[in-house]
Amino acid sequence: MVVHDQRSSAPDGFVQQGAAASDQIMKLRIALHQTNIAGLEDALMAVSTPGNALYGQHLTKEEVEAFVAPPPDTVSLVNQWLSNNDIFAKTVSPAGDWLEFSIPINKANSLIAANFQVFQHPETGKEFVRTLSYSIPEALLGHIDVVHPTTTFDNPFVHLPFVSNPNAPVQKPEDEFEIESRADLATCATAVTPACLEALYGIPTTAGTQSTNVLGVSGFIDQFANQADLATFLKAQRPDVSSTTTFSLEVLDGGVNTQSAGSAGIEANLDVQYTVGIATKVPNVFISVGDNFQDGALEGFLDIINFLLAQTNPPSVLTTSYGQNENTISRSLANSLCNAYMQLGARGTSILFASGDGGVSGSQSASCKTFVPTFPSGCPFMTSVGATTGNPTETAATFSSGGFSNFFGRPSYQSAAVSSYLTALATTNSGKFNTSGRAFPDVSAQGQNVQIVVGGKTEAVAGTSCSSPIFASVIALLNDELIASGKSRLGFLNPFLYSAAGQAALNDITTGDNPGCNTNGFPAKAGWDPVTGLGTPNFAKLRTAVGL
């Protein structure tokens, strides 16, 4: 047996309680080595880089699966090892690269030379069964990428939505809501509405026409999107759009979308109100991930991608306003999930995530000595969205998470932009971050004083959770026009965004910073910076840059 993954101790905040009950049943997953992940990355970059002969020629489901399906000898060797131990695994991903089975703890300890212990997180009272190391037979090296969950510790505040209520709800009943309606742009500095965003970013109110252009909104942790609240929001904020305009629903892992007023989720309502309310008439699907996770500590993050990869026509754009700190997940598992985003990007889906709300201290404000990157923003195959505030003059929002991954190296598409920033930064924050890591966020949008409706009442929310659906809506509207004119949808955005044409089509934010870890964090500067990325959208310039 050879040690395959280990960590010296549990992450901060976890206390070891002793051995797990030997007869407790544990669900394990194995990620099998993929046939040609480097080839898929090459294909992704080719179809995503403007000027490449293959730009826009996104891959089919079958083409992607051919890259990631495990080689036959890998499948047979791993299944033979399992069957020798009286274990029979089922395949749980479209390409066959993930296997799953359930066994008692004592058998798991012996199978992978682990020492599964109970770890408690006193602050939340949650308990987890994990091991600090595990091994695999030497003959399976190069065939098994990950056994999960082993050394990955669930974020105790797992996938918290990146949104907060800085002020008490305005508590206006529906009939008074019109007071804060579209026309009054004078209040945009303190109350952000769709009209403010349309004016600030030049976003059109023209209705989309393309039924194949679907905007997906991820829903987790029993956050439900309320249709009655959406109707109230549209009546006040988009009177030019029928208040019966709504979203479709897809569910997995036992997900639902309960419609009682008390079940309305702040995050879910925000996400649908600022996609339906901005990407006018673009088909919108709310994807509700339930609690019956098949991916262990990832809490549905891998399940939703496998769910979409199994579709013949996945959404054109996917926005997610949840995440975690990178240091709560094992490097190998982070890599497997990042590769799943690569697969979906190669299919032509633009994947956007909120960068987090803790400045340089991570997904939420916390104490730290060195800067804490967030996940999945460190993955180079998705687009990370930070936050700005202020109207008409934007500045960085202080909570906007940004920085440099400790897991993923800097991709070539951003090397010039990031190098320029590091040169300008000089010795500031030296030693507190990985200067060679994938840098994030990539872009930004408004994230403070955003007006939503929850339970029939208006309230203001803040967070990069606001920013991701706003930027996703801009991309969805561009896709609608591209498809209507016979062109391909944008797909994986970053090579375009970091190109000269892409950068010139964004509003560069040069003031503000994102404090944390007893520092002022990173300062926003001309060009890319780890607070606001390349900047906020300028719709007219983006139209031109994408060839419209």
Side-chain angles (χ1 to χ4, degrees):
M1 300 284 276
V2 179
V3 174
H4 197 245
D5 199 10
Q6 62 185 335
R7 57 189 309 155
S8 56
S9 61
D12 288 348
F14 288 89
V15 180
Q16 192 167 320
Q17 300 292 301
S22 64
D23 58 352
Q24 181 179 334
I25 300 296
M26 183 169 201
K27 183 187 289 179
L28 289 177
R29 275 190 158 205
I30 293 179
L32 300 177
H33 188 69
Q34 296 163 323
T35 297
N36 187 8
I37 203 71
L40 179 61
E41 181 174 350
D42 289 344
L44 170 73
M45 298 313 291
V47 301
S48 308
T49 304
N52 190 293
L54 296 175
Y55 181 63
Q57 297 179 35
H58 299 118
L59 279 63
T60 63
K61 179 175 184 285
E62 294 71 24
E63 286 170 337
V64 168
E65 287 173 1
F67 280 109
V68 299
D73 64 322
T74 290
V75 176
S76 61
L77 280 168
V78 173
N79 277 314
Q80 185 63 51
W81 170 59
L82 293 174
S83 65
N84 289 346
N85 288 278
D86 299 319
I87 296 166
F88 299 94
K90 64 177 181 178
T91 301
V92 288
S93 64
D97 53 331
W98 281 91
L99 301 177
E100 178 186 288
F101 54 91
S102 295
I103 54 174
I105 292 283
N106 57 356
K107 190 164 184 175
N109 279 336
S110 122
L111 180 74
I112 56 173
N115 179 19
F116 280 104
Q117 300 277 314
V118 176
F119 292 88
Q120 189 187 48
H121 187 260
E123 192 177 345
T124 57
K126 291 184 178 180
E127 289 191 339
F128 308 96
V129 175
R130 294 292 180 268
T131 179
L132 296 180
S133 75
Y134 72 91
S135 301
I136 60 173
E138 190 168 2
L140 296 182
L141 284 176
H143 297 285
I144 289 177
D145 284 350
V146 186
V147 181
H148 170 67
T150 47
T151 57
T152 287
F153 282 71
D154 303 47
N155 180 350
F157 306 106
V158 70
H159 307 325
L160 274 182
F162 292 148
V163 67
S164 62
N165 286 66
N167 310 309
V170 181
Q171 297 295 335
K172 291 194 177 177
E174 181 177 339
D175 55 357
E176 289 179 39
F177 192 70
E178 289 289 347
I179 297 167
E180 288 188 50
S181 72
R182 298 179 53 75
D184 190 7
L185 296 179
T187 60
C188 288
T190 53
V192 174
T193 64
C196 298
L197 298 167
E198 289 155 10
L200 183 63
Y201 299 145
I203 301 171
T205 57
T206 321
T209 59
Q210 302 302 304
S211 61
T212 60
N213 179 39
V214 176
L215 172 48
V217 175
S218 303
F220 295 94
I221 56 172
D222 300 322
Q223 279 272 333
F224 305 133
N226 189 276
Q227 292 172 333
D229 283 344
L230 175 60
T232 302
F233 180 82
L234 291 173
K235 276 179 195 168
Q237 302 297 351
R238 290 301 306 271
D240 55 321
V241 172
S242 166
S243 62
T244 60
T245 304
T246 190
F247 50 89
S248 59
L249 177 69
E250 292 179 358
V251 297
L252 64 146
D253 291 352
V256 294
N257 191 35
T258 307
Q259 288 302 297
S260 59
S263 299
I266 291 173
E267 178 63 63
N269 274 14
L270 163 65
D271 292 344
V272 298
Q273 287 169 22
Y274 278 81
T275 47
V276 175
I278 293 178
T280 309
K281 294 289 186 183
V282 170
N284 188 299
V285 58
F286 181 67
I287 306 161
S288 181
V289 182
D291 298 327
N292 182 25
F293 310 121
Q294 302 305 302
D295 57 9
L298 289 176
E299 304 246 336
F301 260 42
L302 179 60
D303 288 348
I304 190 174
I305 301 301
N306 280 330
F307 176 78
L308 296 175
L309 285 170
Q311 298 179 353
T312 307
N313 296 301
S316 304
V317 182
L318 178 67
T319 177
T320 306
S321 290
Y322 304 78
Q324 62 193 100
N325 290 344
E326 191 180 72
N327 60 11
T328 60
I329 186 170
S330 76
R331 187 183 294 258
S332 54
L333 189 61
N335 206 48
S336 291
L337 185 52
C338 187
N339 287 347
Y341 297 138
M342 188 202 302
Q343 294 174 55
L344 194 57
R347 297 276 304 276
T349 299
S350 303
I351 303 172
L352 294 89
F353 273 85
S355 70
D357 289 355
V360 292
S361 70
S363 55
Q364 308 285 337
S365 188
S367 62
C368 42
K369 292 185 178 68
T370 56
F371 295 169
V372 181
T374 60
F375 185 82
S377 283
C379 169
F381 308 122
M382 46 68 70
T383 301
S384 174
V385 187
T388 60
T389 185
N391 191 328
T393 303
E394 292 186 277
T395 187
T398 55
F399 55 76
S400 184
S401 290
F404 299 80
S405 172
N406 290 319
F407 286 177
F408 299 98
R410 179 139 58 253
S412 57
Y413 61 72
Q414 66 169 192
S415 60
V418 176
S419 296
S420 296
Y421 179 82
L422 290 173
T423 300
L425 188 67
T427 59
T428 304
N429 300 324
S430 179
K432 292 189 178 293
F433 64 96
N434 174 24
T435 55
S436 63
R438 187 283 206 243
F440 70 96
D442 300 300
V443 290
S444 51
Q446 289 273 303
Q448 207 150 20
N449 304 315
V450 176
Q451 306 292 301
I452 65 168
V453 175
V454 181
K457 306 285 194 295
T458 315
E459 53 186 80
V461 292
T464 53
S465 271
C466 307
S467 315
S468 187
I470 291 168
F471 206 99
S473 296
V474 168
I475 299 303
L477 288 168
L478 291 169
N479 278 337
D480 183 84
E481 289 194 61
L482 286 166
I483 295 167
S485 61
K487 298 174 187 286
S488 297
R489 61 196 194 180
L490 290 167
F492 173 47
L493 297 169
N494 295 8
F496 159 68
L497 293 171
Y498 283 90
S499 70
Q503 291 192 51
L506 298 165
N507 307 309
D508 189 9
I509 311 303
T510 59
T511 58
D513 51 29
N514 55 353
C517 309
N518 298 311
T519 74
N520 291 326
F522 290 109
K525 290 181 180 291
W528 179 88
D529 57 69
V531 197
T532 63
L534 297 165
T536 61
N538 179 317
F539 196 87
K541 289 183 177 179
L542 283 166
R543 280 188 82 253
T544 304
V546 300
L548 289 167

